[in-house]
């Protein structure tokens, strides 16, 4: 399978429009050690023709321009995106659906029913889209048997519920339920290769850990370096874990877990917040990740499994 990282930043992107943290300031000044990033999304294919988009970023139009493979130009109106899968109902993962409204058919949309509910009530994006292309909704089963998408041959998918947060506009904001956030394993049906994707991961739980151990490559939450990063900066009163994101450093942090995976597992962080010191390629934190064999996703990164 081929996976393209269309966007590697957390909500807000990098630089974030209103942020003057050291990273955002440095990237605006053109520092050679930091690269701008769009909000997280990946695309995957097994046959190099039919692609599934994971999350629809507010930056999708810029992302599509930067990856012409998704515009094969076989007809007046065309796209190689055959289906869209949403991991949650957050703004940074769903707003791009508005930008796909000119689609000639209904969008083949895969998301859990709780995500569909949020996107029909608190943020009624799917209702608005009905006035344009509309969607053909498919429930994402959370069973271990997984599922396939007829439009995307050669890939099989296994979704698992994650502990993270439902969005602020969700009717179940303070009662998180299984399905509000999912992680997904993409399996290449021909080779059996597995990629586990979870851009928002608040807690390591047994099913998540099992999926990570079974994967050839994990592409996981790299939002914040420390649990109190946003508090220390004065940017928020919430910890990383409060926001539904495991920090990389410290006890029970992402690095500690990634260290326990087999050496052959490729380990990549994605959904990097603009405040995270790992965005600075010259930082000691970036060097520390490197010494643990952990990569940092960037816009335009290709992963082949
Ligand atoms: C998150 O990942 O916590 C959310 O996407 C934040 C946001 O976009 O507001
Ligand atoms: Mn996010
Ligand atoms: Zn910033």
């Amino acid at each position: 399978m081929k996976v393209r990282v269309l966007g590697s930043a957390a909500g807000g992107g990098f630089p974030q429009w209103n942020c003057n943290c050291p990273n955002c300031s440095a990237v605006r000044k053109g520092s050679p050690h930091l690269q701008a990033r769009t909000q997280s999304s990946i695309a995957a294919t097994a046959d190099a023709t039919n692609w599934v988009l994971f999350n629809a970023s507010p930056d999708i139009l810029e992302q599509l321009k930067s990856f012409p493979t998704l515009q094969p130009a076989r007809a007046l109106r065309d796209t190689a995106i055959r289906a869209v899968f949403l991991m949650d109902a957050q703004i940074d993962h769903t707003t791009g659906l508005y930008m796909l409204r000119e689609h000639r058919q209904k969008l083949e949309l895969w998301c859990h029913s709780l995500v569909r509910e949020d996107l029909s009530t608190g943020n009624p994006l799917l209702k608005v889209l009905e006035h344009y292309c509309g969607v053909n909704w498919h429930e994402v089963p959370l069973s271990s048997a997984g599922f396939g998408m007829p439009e995307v041959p050669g890939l099989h998918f296994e979704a698992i519920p994650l502990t993270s947060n439902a969005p602020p506009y969700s009717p179940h904001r303070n009662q998180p339920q299984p399905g509000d956030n999912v992680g997904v394993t993409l399996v290449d049906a021909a080779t059996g290769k597995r990629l586990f994707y979870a851009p928002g991961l608040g807690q390591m739980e047994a099913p998540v850990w099992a999926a990570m151990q079974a994967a050839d490559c994990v592409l996981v939450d790299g939002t914040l370096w420390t649990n109190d990063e946003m508090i220390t900066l004065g940017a928020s009163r919430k910890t990383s874990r409060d926001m539904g994101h495991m920090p990389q450093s410290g006890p029970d942090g992402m690095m500690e877990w990634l260290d326990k995976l087999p050496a052959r597992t490729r380990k990549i962080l994605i959904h990097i917040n603009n405040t995270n010191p790992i965005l600075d390629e010259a930082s000691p934190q970036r060097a520390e990740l490197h010494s643990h064999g952990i990569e940092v996703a960037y816009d335009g990164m290709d992963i082949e499994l």
Side-chain angles (χ1 to χ4, degrees):
M1 83 178 95
K2 286 182 203 287
V3 173
R4 173 76 169 207
V5 175
L6 296 169
S8 53
F14 180 53
Q16 179 175 308
W17 70 283
N18 63 346
C19 188
N20 294 297
C21 74
N23 282 342
C24 288
S25 303
V27 76
R28 273 195 206 99
K29 287 187 187 123
S31 161
H33 302 300
L34 299 99
Q35 277 185 48
R37 284 169 159 82
T38 61
Q39 293 163 86
S40 70
S41 174
I42 67 170
T45 185
D47 62 5
T49 302
N50 301 291
W51 293 73
V52 50
L53 183 72
F54 287 86
N55 300 319
S57 159
D59 303 317
I60 191 166
L61 297 183
E62 185 184 340
Q63 296 171 344
L64 294 180
K65 270 185 220 154
S66 72
F67 189 42
T69 303
L70 294 181
Q71 181 44 266
R74 298 161 296 196
L76 177 66
R77 298 285 165 90
D78 197 16
T79 179
I81 299 172
R82 300 295 313 283
V84 182
F85 182 105
L86 304 177
M87 333 270 310
D88 57 49
Q90 297 274 4
I91 298 265
D92 61 340
H93 286 161
T94 60
T95 308
L97 289 178
Y98 280 130
M99 277 75 221
L100 303 180
R101 68 191 177 284
E102 299 91 351
H103 198 42
R104 302 292 279 176
Q105 303 93 38
K106 285 178 186 281
L107 284 165
E108 299 295 334
L109 184 72
W110 293 77
C111 64
H112 192 271
S113 41
L114 291 170
V115 169
R116 183 193 192 208
E117 186 194 330
D118 286 354
L119 296 178
S120 307
T121 56
N123 173 9
L125 183 158
L126 297 180
K127 293 210 160 150
V128 176
L129 267 188
E130 284 310 314
H131 298 280
Y132 300 89
C133 59
V135 304
N136 188 19
W137 172 68
H138 307 270
E139 174 70 297
V140 167
L142 299 178
S143 67
S144 55
F147 58 97
M149 298 177 189
E151 294 79 15
V152 188
L155 287 180
H156 183 78
F157 307 91
E158 295 169 15
I160 50 170
L162 298 180
T163 298
S164 193
N165 273 350
Y169 42 80
S170 168
H172 35 94
R173 166 72 165 172
N174 297 315
Q175 308 94 42
Q177 290 165 44
D180 278 334
N181 294 269
V182 303
V184 67
T185 299
L186 287 65
V187 188
D188 186 307
T191 64
K193 293 277 185 189
R194 303 170 71 88
L195 177 127
F196 177 69
Y197 183 46
L201 182 50
Q203 242 168 269
M204 192 57 72
E205 292 161 322
V208 179
W209 183 233
M212 286 175 67
Q213 286 175 296
D216 298 283
C217 176
V218 296
L219 185 55
V220 289
D221 193 336
T223 309
L224 298 169
W225 178 255
T226 45
N227 194 37
D228 61 359
E229 189 167 312
M230 302 292 274
I231 299 171
T232 308
L233 257 173
S236 166
R237 269 180 278 174
K238 287 188 176 167
T239 65
S240 178
R241 291 183 196 276
D242 287 341
M243 291 190 285
H245 299 291
M246 290 170 68
Q248 282 108 62
S249 63
D252 191 34
M254 188 62 87
M255 250 193 311
E256 204 179 276
W257 282 100
L258 293 180
D259 278 347
K260 294 181 201 164
L261 288 174
R264 61 172 173 77
T265 313
R266 195 166 169 196
K267 306 162 190 90
I268 310 173
L269 298 175
I270 192 166
H271 191 276
I272 325 288
N273 196 57
N274 59 78
T275 55
N276 192 327
I278 65 173
L279 286 174
D280 183 345
E281 288 158 26
S283 66
Q285 291 87 349
R286 184 62 168 265
E288 191 174 344
L289 283 185
H290 186 73
S291 73
H292 287 253
I294 302 168
E295 301 170 67
V296 179
Y298 52 88
D299 292 20
M301 184 183 206
D302 285 311
I303 302 167
E304 251 190 273
L305 287 177

